[in-house]
Amino acid sequence: LTGYLIYAKESGPESCNGYIDSLRDYHIWVGDSPDAPKSASVVVEVTPRWKVVHPEWRLHYLEQLAKSHAKVRVSGWLMWDEEHPDEVGKSRGSQWEVHPVTGFEVLTPSLP
């Protein structure tokens, strides 16, 4: 998936991680334009196990990329998230997600 980072945050405990408080995903919204709303964006998720493999994928860094609406290429597993149908058109564009993210490439110049 190639697009622009719109927003990033750490999730709360979720079923996919056994509702364990110390195992939280990063939720990242990727839009087709720098000014896309979250309601039209795709959610991609960095899972706790992939955060260990890629320590450079820190939340602060992802938040900074989102503030600058960096263009990125994200790869991973395409997943239908059946737990969020009520959020479509509000906080996401679809129930489809890239979850887990296994590759993350910044296509715009690096942040200072």
Side-chain angles (χ1 to χ4, degrees), residues 62-77:
L62 298 170
E63 289 171 332
Q64 293 302 312
L65 290 172
K67 285 180 185 176
S68 68
H69 300 294
K71 188 171 186 178
V72 297
R73 181 178 298 124
V74 178
S75 56
W77 300 355

Side-chain angles (χ1 to χ4, degrees), residues 28-48:
I28 306 163
W29 284 257
V30 178
D32 61 359
S33 68
D35 59 349
K38 284 172 57 177
S39 62
S41 300
V42 175
V43 174
V44 305
E45 299 192 27
V46 177
T47 64

Side-chain angles (χ1 to χ4, degrees), residues 8-29:
K9 73 172 192 170
E10 186 173 49
S11 73
E14 297 179 290
S15 63
C16 60
N17 296 316
Y19 293 107
I20 299 169
D21 191 51
S22 63
L23 299 176
R24 294 177 180 225
D25 294 344
Y26 295 157
H27 291 193
I28 306 163
W29 284 257

